[in-house]
Amino acid sequence: MSKRHPIIAGNWKMHKTLREAQDYAIKLLERLGDVTQIDVVICAPFTLLSTLKDELEESIIHIGAQNMFYVDNGAYTGEISPSMLVDVACTYVIIGHSERREHLKETDEEVAKKVKVALKGGITPILCVGETLEQREEGRAFAVVRSQVEKALVDLPSEELKRVVIAYEPIWAIGTGKVASSQDAQDMCAMIRSTLAGIAGVVAEEINILYGGSVKSSNIAELMAQPDVDGALVGGASLDPVEFAQLVENAVAAL
Ligand code: PGA
């Protein structure tokens, strides 16, 4: 029996207005308001977090952000701090998503600082790692992902490390409809867990490792059946509350 409580996190990316977020939250609560077997998280743009707080704070659905700065306050125009996220009831934050690494040039060093500061602020970081298609074709996928994991978690004591969630998202599977085979997802998640064991010993068994990349209601069950896949980070399929609720229900049924 796994020591881990599964997580399904929706990543809305840069989508939705206030009205849409509010309607979505109401619809999701109707369907998932009683789901306890899986932690459900909605990671929304900063502008929508306060509305989600109003709708979801008292419910079992968790609120997450998609990024955060690594300083708590000060002259950092345009940035958002951990305590600001706590203020809008965020309990999760996505860190180091491949779209930020690519378009915003976020580095492993920045990612490591953000993970550390999120933990210090009491927010669960969802650390994203994953290889490009080129890296996979060159046979470097494991080495790339191992290095991303090690660099992001450097210096963390194991007590803190066990609060980190890792999302393995092969870049070639994000938004492309090309889901990794459940065996590929399992192989990489198992490799990540053994990397974590090298850093933190037995605590690795308590760390949630999610798969992300074209996850839908139709393929979630197969992914959840893998022993080292503890849930999913879901982009496109999280935008529609009916599809996302179905995805979570299918994941629960597969437990
Ligand atoms: P996708 O995105 O589900 O649309 O592939 C996943 C992600 O980028 O988190």
Side-chain angles (χ1 to χ4, degrees):
M1 181 71 188
S2 168
K3 296 189 178 121
R4 304 175 295 269
H5 192 76
I7 298 171
I8 304 277
N11 173 12
W12 284 356
K13 307 194 178 184
M14 200 172 67
H15 293 286
K16 295 197 187 296
T17 61
L18 282 171
R19 169 62 68 83
E20 288 165 353
Q22 189 181 31
D23 288 351
Y24 183 112
I26 292 166
K27 288 194 180 123
L28 200 67
L29 269 182
E30 278 167 18
R31 284 271 297 263
L32 302 181
D34 296 327
V35 170
T36 52
Q37 302 94 321
I38 288 183
D39 280 346
V40 178
V41 188
I42 297 295
C43 298
F46 293 133
T47 51
L48 307 177
L49 295 175
S50 157
T51 289
L52 291 184
K53 175 183 181 195
D54 292 344
E55 300 300 330
L56 300 176
E57 191 179 14
E58 305 297 325
S59 80
I60 56 165
I61 297 177
H62 301 267
I63 307 168
Q66 300 172 7
N67 177 41
M68 179 202 81
F69 197 51
Y70 48 76
V71 175
D72 218 37
N73 52 60
Y76 299 99
T77 302
E79 293 298 330
I80 299 285
S81 76
S83 54
M84 289 170 176
L85 294 186
V86 169
D87 196 35
V88 283
C90 273
T91 47
Y92 287 82
V93 61
I94 296 173
I95 302 283
H97 191 281
S98 58
E99 287 153 12
R100 297 194 58 81
R101 293 182 193 252
E102 182 190 346
H103 302 298
L104 286 304
K105 306 291 171 236
E106 213 163 85
T107 64
D108 284 324
E109 291 68 33
E110 285 166 328
V111 167
K113 281 194 212 170
K114 289 181 179 188
V115 167
K116 202 178 265 181
V117 170
L119 289 168
K120 196 161 154 241
I123 307 170
T124 301
I126 302 176
L127 165 67
C128 297
V129 295
E131 81 286 359
T132 62
L133 186 57
E134 194 187 356
Q135 290 163 337
R136 176 158 283 261
E137 283 171 347
E138 289 169 2
R140 294 195 290 129
F142 277 36
V144 166
V145 170
R146 186 183 300 118
S147 155
Q148 286 173 336
V149 170
E150 286 173 347
K151 286 183 177 152
L153 302 179
V154 70
D155 306 335
L156 279 184
S158 49
E159 268 317 290
E160 301 228 329
L161 200 65
K162 72 179 180 200
R163 293 168 43 222
V164 174
V165 174
I166 309 226
Y168 165 57
E169 300 203 305
I171 294 168
W172 46 270
I174 296 178
T176 58
K178 270 191 234 163
V179 64
S181 74
S182 47
Q183 189 59 51
D184 282 344
Q186 163 58 23
D187 290 348
M188 187 64 88
C189 291
M191 189 287 291
I192 292 172
R193 199 173 305 287
S194 76
T195 303
L196 294 170
I199 304 172
V202 288
V203 163
E205 290 302 313
E206 296 175 48
I207 298 175
N208 273 86
I209 305 176
L210 316 182
Y211 167 80
S214 298
V215 178
K216 301 190 249 333
S217 61
S218 56
N219 58 25
I220 184 69
E222 208 189 316
L223 290 160
M224 293 299 286
Q226 304 304 316
D228 286 291
V229 178
D230 305 314
L233 182 57
V234 184
S238 74
L239 289 173
D240 171 23
V242 176
E243 163 66 5
F244 189 60
Q246 189 63 53
L247 190 158
V248 171
E249 286 168 0
N250 292 356
V252 170
L255 290 178

